[in-house]
Amino acid sequence: MIDLYTFKTPNGRKISIALEELGLPYTVKSVDISKGEQFKPEFLAINPNNKIPAIVDHAAPGGRPLALFESGAILLYLAEKTGALMPSDPRGKAEVTQWLMFQMGGVGPMIGQLHHFSLAAPAKLPYAIERYQKEAKRILGVLDRQLGSRDYLATTYSIADIATYPWLMAGRNFFPELFQDLHSIPQYLHRVGSRPAVQRGMQVP
């Protein structure tokens, strides 16, 4: 039903986790970004922004295949398509959406930039490393406080958690020192990571 174009990155694993949680049949199309496969014409026809993940839903509303890119947009689409992982009431939907946007605009970009400037950049720029380290730590503090009184980012487990979990795992793996003083996030990672669908999705591709 759904072709998933993905690779072993936090953004890619958001969608495989969601598909596993929703029980939707899908076929994995690995796009090896380390070899530049995201620039191949056949992939650019699906995602002109040459990034993973992307999907093609062959059972989309209207009867025609739907190609979709941007992980947040895909998560919203899948939640609306199935009526799951997103509350139906406006207040609950708004709450989930704000934490999804927080991940899209904060958690992922800041941890990603910290990874780039700390570990991948050809020259070490202390200003850039310090900037993204401070911002990543601030964002982790926001999440830790939010999770201090609840099990999930919103009222119930949702696409906001699915979007955030892979990035927190990547952050903890690469920058464990940022997680040392956090109280709620370690429990949250265990709680979400214990879900069978999450475990399966994290192994894709």
Side-chain angles (χ1 to χ4, degrees):
M1 180 186 298
I2 293 176
D3 292 332
L4 168 61
Y5 295 81
T6 189
F7 198 57
K8 49 185 179 181
T9 71
N11 281 338
R13 285 175 171 153
K14 295 177 190 177
I15 310 307
S16 53
I17 290 172
L19 290 168
E20 290 289 341
E21 289 281 12
L22 295 168
L24 293 173
Y26 68 101
T27 301
V28 176
K29 309 282 189 179
S30 181
V31 180
D32 192 337
I33 60 176
S34 68
K35 297 179 179 178
E37 292 180 356
Q38 70 272 30
F39 298 106
K40 290 185 175 182
E42 55 267 34
F43 182 67
L44 290 174
I46 297 166
N47 182 1
N49 194 35
N50 59 265
K51 303 284 186 181
I52 62 95
I55 66 168
V56 176
D57 185 357
H58 296 280
R64 294 183 293 110
L66 172 67
L68 196 62
F69 65 93
E70 285 297 323
S71 60
I74 297 170
L75 288 173
L76 287 168
Y77 169 75
L78 293 175
E80 185 170 349
K81 175 185 172 77
T82 60
L85 298 174
M86 170 72 91
S88 58
D89 65 289
R91 188 181 187 92
K93 187 178 293 186
E95 185 183 22
V96 168
T97 302
Q98 74 174 352
W99 286 106
L100 175 64
M101 296 302 110
F102 183 74
Q103 187 286 311
M104 298 295 298
V107 180
M110 294 305 106
I111 292 178
Q113 292 295 333
L114 177 59
H115 179 274
H116 174 78
F117 284 105
S118 297
L119 303 175
K124 294 294 184 285
L125 301 175
Y127 172 79
I129 294 172
E130 182 180 6
R131 169 183 169 81
Y132 290 113
Q133 190 175 54
K134 285 183 176 179
E135 184 61 6
K137 191 167 184 64
R138 185 192 71 80
I139 284 172
L140 290 174
V142 173
L143 292 172
D144 201 58
R145 290 189 294 275
Q146 174 69 4
L147 293 165
S149 59
R150 56 182 63 205
D151 288 341
Y152 302 108
L153 291 171
T155 304
T156 59
Y157 180 71
S158 70
I159 56 174
D161 301 292
I162 290 172
T164 303
Y165 174 81
W167 275 105
L168 291 181
M169 288 297 295
R172 190 177 68 173
N173 290 339
F174 286 108
F175 308 106
E177 68 279 4
L178 296 181
F179 289 72
Q180 288 179 352
D181 298 326
L182 301 177
H183 304 290
S184 304
I185 285 179
Q187 300 173 22
Y188 172 76
L189 292 178
H190 176 74
R191 186 179 306 119
V192 176
S194 297
R195 297 176 68 92
V198 173
Q199 294 172 3
R200 294 192 301 271
M202 287 292 286
Q203 297 302 314
V204 177

